[in-house]
Amino acid sequence: MEKISKYLSYILRHKPDSIGLNLDDHGWIYVDDLIANTTTFELNHALLDILVEMNDKQRFAFNEDKTKIRANQGHSIHVDLDLPPHEPPSYLYHGTASRFLESIQKQGLIKGNRHHVHLTESAHVAQAVGQRYGKLVLLQINTAAMAKDGCIFYKTTNNVWLVDAVPREYLSILG
Ligand code: HQG
């Protein structure tokens, strides 16, 4: 299941062209096209239903009539997810690795290859995200101050907070 989920993230966030497909402007592709063009796995509707429903971070979604599927966030190719701006809580968290810290302290958090900087309400989730890249550094972001200063925040349907950048003055190191 995890391998298929990673494959779906790769296709729906980064490389649909690797199986000859394009995402529409809002990130959707037809489920039937995905099934027909996937050779790495034996995909079918029932399996995709399970993958979407059971995904630990709810990374994928169907449209209303389940003819289309997309990733909820994390794209490197341009898509408009149509997310409305959202008032953030007072603080959000970002987990990173110690080797990035010096650069983050100079530049703040930047989005790199992705569309946005990803933040979370859960320090626990941030820890797991940071540990993927090395020795964890947990950052707290003063999102209330950012919002007051005019930064726009978006929240995905799977509770990831997105923002263009986090200037360094809003960051504190928790450990
Ligand atoms: C770091 C997972 C140097 C940043 C998670 C991160 C997330 C800088 C890395 C989603 C920097 C980018 C995204 C700067 C930021 N200098 N390094 N100025 N600014 N960085 O993977 O947030 O499992 O693109 O700290 O739950 O780690 O994929 O971003 O370490 O929501 O669904 O540059 O991935 O979701 O790495 O993770 P990423 P991320 P999924």
Side-chain angles (χ1 to χ4, degrees), residues 161-172:
W161 285 87
L162 304 175
V163 68
D164 263 344
V166 179
R168 61 185 184 181
E169 59 268 29
Y170 302 105
L171 291 169
S172 346

Side-chain angles (χ1 to χ4, degrees), residues 150-162:
C151 291
I152 311 269
F153 289 83
Y154 303 92
K155 190 182 184 183
T156 68
T157 51
N158 58 335
N159 296 321
V160 177
W161 285 87
L162 304 175

